[in-house]
Amino acid sequence: MSDLDTFRADTRAWLEANCPAEMRTPMRSEDDACWGGRHFAFQSEAQERWMRLMGEKGWTVPDWPAAYGGGGLTPAETKVLKEEMRSIGARSPLSSFGISMLGPALLKYGTEEQKNRFLPEIARGEIRWCQGYSEPGAGSDLAGLQTKCEDNGDHWLVNGQKVWTSYADKADWIFCLVRTSTESKHGGISFLLFDMESEGVSTKPILLISGYSPFCETFFDNVKVPKDQVVGDVNKGWDVAKYLLGHEREMISGMGLGSGSARTLAQSLGAIDDPVLAADVALFDVDAIAFAAMSEHFIDQLKAGEAHPAMPSMMKYAGTELNKKRHELTMAAGGSDALEWDSERSHGGKAAREWLRTKANSIEGGTSEVQLGIVAKHILRLPGA
Ligand SMILES: Cc1cc2nc3c(=O)[nH]c(=O)nc-3n(C[C@H](O)[C@H](O)[C@H](O)COP(=O)(O)OP(=O)(O)OC[C@H]3O[C@@H](n4cnc5c(N)ncnc54)[C@H](O)[C@@H]3O)c2cc1C
C-alpha cells in the first residue's frame, strides 16, 4: 500500500467515525452553512461538533501549515480528503472569509505575530471576518477608495464608509482597505485589520427584494486601530488586496463545480421528456466536466505559485457563467413548480432563490466585464495588466 493509499484508508475511517449523519445530508438553504465566530448560533449540536472536530484536526484548512492550525497536508493528501468527504456527502464544516480570503493573504504578507494570532482562530472557526473593500464610489474602480486612515502617533484613526459588506453585522473582525496617502492612487492604500466591536464602527443592513439581508453599509467614525494591525507595508496594501482577490475569485469560481456532489446535472434532474432540454443538459454536463478538469489544474498551479496572472479572472468568469447556466436549466426542468416561492413543498423557494443568487456571482469579487478586461490586458499584454 502506498503512503497515499494508507492516508486514504485512515481518512475514510476517521470521517466514518466522526462525521455526524446530519452533516452528510445536502444543505436545505444558505441558512444551513456554518460560519462560526463569537456570536454564531449553531443550527444543531451536530453542526457545532463537526466544525470543532474538523478544526481540531486542522482539516477546515487541510493544506495550511500545522503550526498555524492547519492540517499540514500535501496537495495530494488534500485532494484525497476532499474526495473522501465528497463520497459520503459531507458538508463543508466551515464557511469562512477567513479561510478563503484573509488566510492566504496573511500566510504570504502577515508578520509571524499576526499569523500566530489570527490563523489558528480562523482554522478553528472562532473568529468570523468580513471584507471592507467596496465603497459607494469605489467598486470596480476599487483603488478609488476614500476611507481615510491617519497616523495618530500610537494608533491609526479611521473615518469613512464601506458598502455591500457581506455579513458585516454578524462579523467579529474586518479586513479593510484604507487610504493612508493621497499622493498616489494605488500607492496610498493600506490593508488594515480591526475588531468590529471597536468604538465608532456601525453597520446598517441592506434589505433585498428576496427578503434576505446578506450585506450592509458599514460606517467608521473616528475608529482607533492599534498600529500593529496593518498587514504588509503601509501604502503597499494594493499588493495584498490583489493577492486576496485572486483567492476570492478562485473561491467564487468553485461555484462552477456545483454543490460538491459528484453527480452530473443529468443525473440530478432525472428523466427529461423535452428533447431540446435534454440535449442542453447533456451539453452542460460536457462543459461542467471540462471545467472541473480545468479547475483542478488551476488550483494545483495556484497552490504551487505558478498560475498565470489571468487565470483567477478567467476561472471566475467561466465558473460563474457555468453556475448560472446550471440553475437556469434546473429551473427550466422544474417548470412552473420551480417558481414556487414560499411553500413547504418548495423548501421556502429553494430552487428559485438559488437561481436568483447566481446572478450575483458575476458581480461579487469583481464583475464579469471587469474580469474579461483583466484577462484581455494580461493575454494581449496591454498596459495596466
Ligand atoms: C453578493 C455580493 C456580495 C458582495 N460582498 C462584498 C463584500 O463582502 N465586501 C465588499 O467590499 N464588497 C462586496 N460586494 C461588492 C462587489 O465587490 C461590487 O459590487 C463589485 O466590485 C462591483 O462594483 P460596483 O457594484 O460598484 O459596480 P460598478 O463598478 O459601479 O459597475 C457597474 C457596471 O459597470 C461595469 N464596469 C465598471 N467598470 C468597468 C470597466 N472598466 N470595464 C467594463 N465594465 C465596467 C461593471 O461591470 C458593472 O456592470 C459584493 C457584491 C455582491 C453582489
Side-chain angles (χ1 to χ4, degrees), residues 21 26 37 44 56 92 98 113 127 129 178 199 208 218 249 253 299 315 341 371:
S44 65
E56 281 168 6
S92 165
E113 199 201 339
I127 182 168
W129 291 85
V178 292
E199 205 179 322
L208 303 186
T218 306
R249 288 168 186 162
S253 82
I299 288 166
M315 296 304 291
W341 193 245
Q371 301 315 310

Side-chain angles (χ1 to χ4, degrees), residues 107-378:
L107 281 166
K108 185 166 164 78
Y109 290 98
T111 61
E112 200 51 33
E113 199 201 339
Q114 289 169 340
K115 290 181 201 177
N116 286 322
R117 179 174 173 193
F118 295 115
L119 292 173
E121 278 188 332
I122 292 173
R124 292 192 301 265
E126 290 167 1
I127 182 168
R128 183 170 180 177
W129 291 85
C130 64
Q131 177 188 35
Y133 271 34
S134 308
E135 296 187 5
S140 302
D141 182 21
L142 182 58
L145 62 94
Q146 297 298 327
T147 291
K148 199 165 148 196
C149 177
E150 290 167 277
D151 185 341
N152 259 19
D154 64 343
H155 64 268
W156 299 108
L157 194 68
V158 181
N159 279 288
Q161 188 199 332
K162 297 287 171 181
V163 74
W164 311 127
T165 333
S166 298
Y167 310 115
D169 51 344
K170 300 182 175 65
D172 303 316
W173 276 61
I174 187 166
F175 49 91
C176 196
L177 296 179
V178 292
R179 182 150 298 286
T180 32
S181 161
T182 48
E183 271 169 35
S184 142
K185 184 173 176 181
H186 293 89
I189 293 171
S190 299
F191 189 102
L192 196 61
L193 312 175
F194 53 93
D195 195 319
M196 290 294 280
E197 282 176 9
S198 311
E199 205 179 322
V201 178
S202 60
T203 62
K204 197 165 140 206
I206 302 173
L207 188 63
L208 303 186
I209 197 171
S210 63
Y212 287 141
S213 176
F215 23 56
C216 296
E217 291 179 283
T218 306
F219 303 92
F220 309 128
D221 181 15
N222 284 326
V223 180
K224 286 183 180 173
V225 178
K227 289 302 270 287
D228 60 357
Q229 285 170 201
V230 169
V231 179
D233 293 336
V234 175
N235 292 332
K236 296 267 176 63
W238 189 240
D239 293 338
V240 188
K242 280 196 300 184
Y243 184 76
L244 183 146
L245 276 174
H247 285 271
E248 179 178 9
R249 288 168 186 162
E250 179 226 316
M251 181 260 297
I252 298 172
S253 82
M255 290 169 181
L257 300 171
S259 60
S261 139
R263 283 146 58 95
T264 62
L265 184 60
Q267 280 169 328
S268 33
L269 292 179
I272 299 172
D273 295 334
D274 179 345
V276 175
L277 184 58
D280 283 348
V281 169
L283 273 177
F284 172 86
D285 274 339
V286 172
D287 285 347
I289 290 163
F291 179 79
M294 187 70 192
S295 181
E296 193 174 331
H297 175 65
F298 160 54
I299 288 166
D300 285 348
Q301 287 194 321
L302 192 74
K303 303 276 180 221
E306 291 164 3
H308 187 281
M311 276 276 250
S313 295
M314 197 179 103
M315 296 304 291
K316 199 242 167 195
Y317 177 76
T320 55
E321 289 305 309
L322 202 61
N323 200 32
K324 282 196 284 188
K325 185 81 189 161
R326 171 184 289 105
H327 286 272
E328 276 160 23
L329 289 169
T330 305
M331 291 299 286
S336 50
D337 283 358
L339 292 169
E340 260 186 45
W341 193 245
D342 249 341
S343 68
E344 217 170 285
R345 189 174 75 130
S346 71
H347 302 289
K350 182 173 187 285
R353 285 175 197 274
E354 284 181 349
W355 167 58
L356 286 175
R357 178 63 181 79
T358 64
K359 307 291 177 195
N361 295 161
S362 32
I363 302 173
E364 60 198 323
T367 64
S368 285
E369 292 82 0
V370 166
Q371 301 315 310
L372 291 173
I374 294 172
V375 172
K377 280 185 201 158
H378 279 296

Side-chain angles (χ1 to χ4, degrees), residues 25-169:
T25 56
M27 295 213 289
R28 286 154 302 179
S29 73
E30 275 188 38
D31 293 341
D32 279 347
C34 174
W35 290 94
R38 285 180 204 148
H39 310 289
F40 185 66
F42 289 95
Q43 297 285 306
S44 65
E45 186 273 329
Q47 188 189 49
E48 185 170 12
R49 183 154 43 98
W50 181 223
M51 184 194 83
R52 182 175 46 77
L53 288 171
M54 287 289 275
E56 281 168 6
K57 220 163 154 60
W59 281 4
T60 51
V61 279
D63 56 349
W64 286 11
Y68 304 130
L73 301 189
T74 63
E77 288 168 339
T78 304
K79 274 189 208 168
V80 167
L81 172 62
K82 288 192 177 153
E83 282 165 17
E84 290 302 319
M85 285 176 67
R86 217 166 22 238
S87 77
I88 59 165
R91 289 187 195 173
S92 165
L94 186 58
S95 300
S96 157
F97 291 180
I99 291 177
S100 53
M101 297 192 227
L102 178 62
L106 277 178
L107 281 166
K108 185 166 164 78
Y109 290 98
T111 61
E112 200 51 33
E113 199 201 339
Q114 289 169 340
K115 290 181 201 177
N116 286 322
R117 179 174 173 193
F118 295 115
L119 292 173
E121 278 188 332
I122 292 173
R124 292 192 301 265
E126 290 167 1
I127 182 168
R128 183 170 180 177
W129 291 85
C130 64
Q131 177 188 35
Y133 271 34
S134 308
E135 296 187 5
S140 302
D141 182 21
L142 182 58
L145 62 94
Q146 297 298 327
T147 291
K148 199 165 148 196
C149 177
E150 290 167 277
D151 185 341
N152 259 19
D154 64 343
H155 64 268
W156 299 108
L157 194 68
V158 181
N159 279 288
Q161 188 199 332
K162 297 287 171 181
V163 74
W164 311 127
T165 333
S166 298
Y167 310 115
D169 51 344

